[in-house]
Amino acid sequence: MLRLTLVCLVVLGLGFLLYSRLARPAVSVTEVPMLSEYGSYQGANHRHRLLPHAGVDFGGPLGSLVIAPADGLVSDLVDWPTGCGRGVVLSHPEFRRYTVYCHLEEILVREGQEVARGQPIGGMGMTGMAAGVSHVHLELCTRACRSHADGDPRGTVDPLKFSAGCFDPRRSYARGRLVLTYPVACGGVMRAG
């Protein structure tokens, strides 16, 4: 009787373990780790920041490609060691918006260059005040903003409200309205846990 009870407990335990594994949602490789949200007082390194965050921080391996989330023009290259680090500012004239990318390890575009959605513009890095965490800072500005330089979030909006998610070259995106994609491609980076 004791032996039967032990066997039943083992089977129940294994059944519960299997159920808990299957019931837990799988982590999709199409998701990217969001380290710091728009308006957050928490930095990419989970430390407190003094001002609300003017963008969204996405993490990933050093050198991961950062891509243009929409067609545009490279309006500025940033090199600010005590802030944004190496960065790129894209203008999207059709929508009167700007996107800003900070902490890049490498910049793959030049000022004045036209870029297409999904085109690599740099490599994820830890330059500037990245706090030792490999990530890219994405801002969406409603005017030619300097928030990436001065920390003032005025003139910025939450880019996720305009986002179609990570970039998939097999997908078509709406023309004539602003539909951004994350500054990373689908399929390579997992959600931070």
Side-chain angles (χ1 to χ4, degrees):
M1 184 70 170
L2 180 60
R3 182 175 240 154
L4 180 62
T5 303
L6 287 174
V7 168
C8 287
L9 287 174
V10 168
V11 169
L12 283 173
L14 290 173
F16 178 75
L17 181 64
L18 179 62
Y19 171 78
S20 67
R21 291 274 183 191
L22 294 175
R24 188 179 314 146
V27 176
S28 170
V29 295
T30 63
E31 296 178 353
V32 296
M34 188 177 358
L35 303 177
S36 184
E37 296 178 18
Y38 179 80
S40 168
Y41 282 90
Q42 177 178 300
N45 60 354
H46 302 292
R47 292 196 179 132
H48 183 76
R49 63 171 74 240
L50 299 175
L51 297 170
H53 196 210
V56 177
D57 290 337
F58 295 102
L62 194 64
S64 297
L65 286 180
V66 174
I67 60 175
D71 295 351
L73 182 73
V74 179
S75 63
D76 195 17
L77 297 180
V78 179
D79 189 8
W80 188 39
T82 59
C84 180
R86 286 189 206 104
V88 174
V89 180
L90 299 179
S91 67
H92 307 282
E94 182 179 359
F95 308 108
R96 296 189 309 264
R97 297 286 189 269
Y98 296 81
T99 51
V100 180
Y101 311 86
C102 294
H103 313 304
L104 301 178
E105 186 69 23
E106 175 182 25
I107 294 176
L108 302 174
V109 291
R110 66 188 184 291
E111 197 168 322
Q113 179 180 340
E114 289 187 16
V115 294
R117 183 189 318 265
Q119 179 179 337
I121 60 171
M124 195 174 295
M126 293 188 289
T127 62
M129 297 298 284
V133 177
S134 175
H135 71 284
V136 62
H137 167 92
L138 165 65
E139 273 180 39
L140 177 59
C141 302
T142 57
R143 60 178 189 243
C145 62
R146 303 274 312 147
S147 49
H148 58 282
D150 60 20
D152 184 353
R154 289 180 293 186
T156 66
V157 293
D158 184 351
L160 296 183
K161 290 184 178 178
F162 298 90
S163 176
C166 57
F167 177 73
D168 185 343
R170 298 166 300 186
R171 181 175 169 196
S172 64
Y173 295 90
R175 285 264 185 228
R177 68 183 187 90
L178 183 63
V179 178
L180 296 172
T181 58
Y182 290 169
V184 294
C186 295
V189 184
M190 309 264 295
R191 180 175 295 280

